[in-house]
Amino acid sequence: MTQEDGDLDSLVRKRIRALRVAQGWSLEELASRAHLSQSSLSRIENGQRRLALDQLVTLARALDTTLDQLVETATDDVVTSPTIDSPHGRMRWTIKADPGMSVVRQRMTEPPPENPARMRAHPGREWLVVLSGTAILMLGHRRFRLEANQAAEFPTMMPHAIGADGGPCEILGIFDRDARRGHQGDSGDDAQGAPG
C-alpha cells in the first residue's frame, strides 16, 4: 500500500465516522441501516478491518451520500484567483464544482438607470449581498433599498437593475449559468443592470 492509498483509506474511515456522528447516529444505528454488525462497523471506522468496495457502497447509501463523495480526495487547486475587470470595478470567480456558477464582486458608484428600457430580463436566478454602502435594486416596478449585509435573491426574468445610493457601494453576487450569460455582454454603461 502506498502512502497515498493509506491517506485515502484513513480519510474514508474518518468520513464515515463524521457522517454518522453528523446524523446523530450510534454505531448500532448505522450498522443496522447498512446491514452490518456493530463490531464490523466499529472495526471499519477504527482501521482494524479492510475496506471492501461492497461495504463502501452500502455505507454510502446508508449515509445518504454517493460512493464518489465518500472516496473523494482533496485537490491541490483549492485556492482560486479572480478574473479582474478594473474598468468596470468587477472581480469574478468561477465555482469549480459547478462551472456554470460564478461569484462576482463589484464596486458601484452610479445609481440604477432611470429608464426602464435599460433594465435587463433574462433566464436565471441571482443572489447578492451588499458588502458596504447602500444599493438600490430595481425589480420590475418596485424599488428596494439594500443596506450593508442585506441580501436579495430573485428570478432574473423580472426586469432588474442595481446601482449605488448616495455614494459608492460594493456588492457580492452569485449567478447561475443563465444569469451569468444574461450579463456577459455588459458594457461599462450597461453594467449597472446587475452586478454580474
Side-chain angles (χ1 to χ4, degrees):
M1 180 186 289
T2 68
Q3 174 70 34
E4 192 172 298
D5 292 339
D7 291 345
L8 177 59
D9 184 84
S10 176
L11 175 67
V12 170
R13 293 173 191 279
K14 288 176 184 173
R15 194 170 282 155
I16 290 168
R17 184 179 191 288
L19 290 169
R20 175 179 63 78
V21 170
Q23 295 282 358
W25 295 340
S26 65
L27 275 168
E28 181 180 9
E29 190 166 358
L30 178 56
S32 173
R33 291 171 184 267
H35 307 292
L36 294 170
S37 71
Q38 185 175 336
S39 63
S40 291
L41 178 58
S42 177
R43 290 195 311 267
I44 287 171
E45 284 188 6
N46 294 322
Q48 299 168 349
R49 182 176 177 152
R50 185 179 65 82
L51 290 172
L53 183 58
D54 61 333
Q55 290 173 334
L56 287 178
V57 170
T58 303
L59 283 166
R61 276 194 209 116
L63 290 164
D64 195 27
T65 190
T66 66
L67 181 59
D68 287 346
Q69 290 172 325
L70 197 58
V71 301
E72 179 179 41
T73 58
T75 61
D76 292 335
D77 58 346
V78 173
V79 177
T80 60
S81 296
T83 303
I84 299 174
D85 179 1
S86 296
H88 300 130
R90 294 184 193 165
M91 287 190 273
R92 181 185 308 271
W93 297 264
T94 299
I95 298 175
K96 291 179 185 177
D98 184 352
M101 299 287 289
S102 62
V103 176
V104 175
R105 180 176 178 175
Q106 183 170 0
R107 177 178 163 82
M108 298 181 160
T109 56
E110 299 298 318
E114 295 290 327
N115 183 351
R118 294 198 46 218
M119 294 173 69
R120 294 186 177 266
H122 50 83
R125 287 196 70 78
E126 294 183 21
W127 179 91
L128 62 94
V129 63
V130 177
L131 300 175
S132 64
T134 303
I136 297 294
L137 171 63
M138 304 298 293
L139 197 54
H141 297 293
R142 298 177 70 192
R143 177 184 172 102
F144 297 93
R145 188 170 196 262
L146 301 169
E147 303 286 344
N149 299 320
Q150 288 185 311
E153 181 178 358
F154 55 93
T156 54
M157 287 300 287
M158 176 76 70
H160 58 282
I162 190 164
D165 182 36
C169 73
E170 218 172 24
I171 60 170
L172 186 72
I174 300 175
F175 302 86
D176 68 11
R177 181 183 317 269
D178 293 328
R180 192 185 81 215
R181 283 184 189 147
H183 290 286
Q184 280 181 338
D186 284 348
S187 69
D189 291 336
D190 292 333
Q192 298 301 313

